Amino acid sequence: MELTIGRFCCVLLSLFAGLASGLEITSAGPTSIEKASGQSVKLDCQFNLASVDSGPLDIEWSLIPTDNQKEEKVVILYSGDRSYEDYYIEMKGRVHFNSADPKNGDASINLTGLKSADSGTYQCKVKKAPGIRSRRMLLIVMVKPSKPRCYAEGPTQEGKDIVLRCKSNEGTNPLQYSWDKTSGGKLLPSSAVLDPLGGTVNVRNASAGASGSYRCIASNRVGSEECTLYLNVTPPPNTAGIIAGAIIAVLLFLIIIAIILFCCCRARHRKKYEKEICNEIREDVPPPKSRASTARSFTVGSQRSSLGSMSPSNLHEYALKPQYDKIPSDEYERPPSSVPLPPPTATRMAGPNLSRMGGIPVMIPAQNRDGSIV
């Protein structure tokens, strides 16, 4: 009960001090301001003083957060006939008093280079004992739309549904989108359905008449940007021709592969056949005679010649000559393919016949295969 009475007394004293003082804020401008980012704004706070206001003048601008749990942030301050403009680090160099001497009744401030983070409720508080007055204003820093991107979605063919899209990545909502055609009849196709919030135009059952240049404008309360798009509606493709071309291409590919395989197999077979022919020719050719065989043939031939020229007068000379009856080794035998000559045989002739012919009978020794006398 006592606490309630105390609060009531404090309220009455405040009201009485306000009535007794001549301090008044006279600004009557709008309490809500919308600006685009990068622009400047003036927050108006005009006041009047009376003779009863004899205390020191203090002016304080603060930013009231939207969350009640957070404290107010003092943006700029005037106290003791001095301005403190760099009081708030986030706005250092961007906030100034509108008047060089605020005590003359102008407590307004100017904010430059606005950012989206500058949005909020600002409070101007003027204090000169015994009076205190304040005024609040809502500042909304809006970002104008960035340049949107225009593109077509889906196949741009006759008879198909084509969706034209327009999207801006930056900008304070709400964003509005509008489409118009800048070529031809400059009217959207009759089958087009526009969505101003989504930024789309759905052209149903498109025809060749829908071809042309289109423009999209993205806008909000602080600015606008636009983009253009050229739409070319083409006839549907010849599906049968595409399929036939694909089949022909596959067949040609298979034929080329078959030709390559055939050529490889034929070349391999020809190489194998040539190799077999070479082997057969080498088997039919006899090996060359060695020097030992040639020397032996020469010796045997000489002996035969000597035997053929024997007579009773030179037979004893032949008997006195050394005989070379050494038989060659088996490695010098003639190859099986050569046919040996038949050994010479002594021709028998009757004695009377030989005498009639005037011949002398002589005994000729026989020779074996190697040409040795037996």
Side-chain angles (χ1 to χ4, degrees):
M1 183 67 179
E2 293 178 358
L3 183 60
T4 305
I5 294 174
R7 288 182 178 178
F8 180 72
C9 292
C10 291
V11 172
L12 290 178
L13 289 174
S14 300
L15 292 174
F16 177 75
L19 292 173
S21 66
L23 177 60
E24 292 291 340
I25 293 179
T26 59
S27 296
T31 57
S32 179
I33 302 175
E34 293 181 353
K35 288 290 182 177
S37 61
Q39 293 182 345
S40 301
V41 64
K42 177 184 178 182
L43 301 182
D44 193 48
C45 184
Q46 304 287 337
F47 64 92
N48 288 329
L49 295 175
S51 58
V52 295
D53 301 319
S54 58
L57 177 64
D58 292 333
I59 301 174
E60 178 184 287
W61 279 90
S62 60
L63 177 61
I64 301 175
T66 55
D67 188 356
N68 295 329
Q69 301 297 327
K70 296 182 180 180
E71 297 180 355
E72 297 182 4
K73 298 177 182 178
V74 178
V75 175
I76 193 171
L77 185 65
Y78 178 86
S79 179
D81 296 335
R82 183 180 177 183
S83 299
Y84 300 91
E85 296 182 346
D86 296 335
Y87 199 85
Y88 185 43
I89 300 300
E90 299 296 330
M91 292 185 179
K92 183 177 180 179
R94 298 191 297 117
V95 58
H96 309 279
F97 279 105
N98 185 59
S99 174
D101 190 2
K103 67 182 180 181
N104 292 329
D106 187 5
S108 304
I109 60 173
N110 295 320
L111 295 177
T112 60
L114 290 176
K115 302 178 181 179
S116 58
D118 298 336
S119 299
T121 301
Y122 290 82
Q123 177 178 260
C124 172
K125 187 184 293 184
V126 180
K127 296 183 290 183
K128 189 172 178 65
I132 299 176
R133 289 290 183 269
S134 63
R135 182 174 187 258
R136 292 185 178 184
M137 284 172 288
L138 177 63
L139 173 64
I140 301 175
V141 180
M142 303 183 66
V143 179
K144 75 173 188 176
S146 61
K147 186 175 181 62
R149 175 174 171 260
C150 297
Y151 61 97
E153 194 175 74
T156 57
Q157 300 173 2
E158 293 182 2
K160 301 289 186 179
D161 292 344
I162 303 174
V163 179
L164 306 182
R165 292 191 177 275
C166 178
K167 181 65 177 177
S168 182
N169 294 327
E170 296 180 359
T172 303
N173 292 324
L175 292 177
Q176 295 287 331
Y177 296 93
S178 62
W179 283 88
D180 60 351
K181 191 175 182 183
T182 59
S183 64
K186 295 187 177 181
L187 293 175
L188 293 177
S190 58
S191 60
V193 178
L194 175 64
D195 181 7
L197 296 179
T200 61
V201 174
N202 189 0
V203 183
R204 298 178 179 176
N205 194 18
S207 62
S211 299
S213 298
Y214 291 80
R215 178 179 62 182
C216 171
I217 301 175
S219 62
N220 58 11
R221 293 194 293 269
V222 294
S224 64
E225 286 288 345
E226 64 181 43
C227 63
T228 57
L229 168 70
Y230 183 79
L231 177 64
N232 183 23
V233 182
T234 59
N238 186 2
T239 307
I242 294 175
I243 295 175
I247 293 174
I248 293 173
V250 171
L251 291 176
L252 289 176
F253 180 73
L254 294 177
I255 291 172
I256 292 173
I257 292 178
I259 292 173
I260 294 173
L261 292 176
F262 175 77
C263 293
C264 293
C265 293
R266 185 175 181 182
R268 185 176 180 182
H269 180 72
R270 179 181 296 175
K271 186 175 181 181
K272 183 177 180 181
Y273 177 76
E274 291 177 354
K275 187 175 181 181
E276 291 177 354
I277 293 298
C278 292
N279 291 338
E280 291 177 1
I281 293 174
R282 290 176 183 176
E283 290 176 358
D284 294 341
V285 174
K289 296 181 180 181
S290 62
R291 294 181 178 178
S293 177
T294 305
R296 187 185 64 183
S297 300
F298 176 76
T299 303
V300 174
S302 300
Q303 292 177 356
R304 289 178 180 175
S305 299
S306 301
L307 292 175
S309 60
M310 279 184 180
S311 62
S313 60
N314 60 9
L315 181 61
H316 65 279
E317 295 178 2
Y318 178 79
L320 295 177
K321 292 181 180 180
Q323 301 298 319
Y324 298 94
D325 56 352
K326 186 176 179 181
I327 299 175
S329 61
D330 294 335
E331 64 184 74
Y332 296 105
E333 290 294 328
R334 295 182 181 180
S337 60
S338 61
V339 180
L341 296 174
T345 57
T347 305
R348 292 183 179 181
M349 185 174 290
N353 295 332
L354 185 60
S355 298
R356 291 177 185 176
M357 295 176 63
I360 300 172
V362 178
M363 178 65 71
I364 299 175
Q367 296 179 355
N368 59 8
R369 294 177 58 184
D370 299 329
S372 302
I373 298 175
V374 181

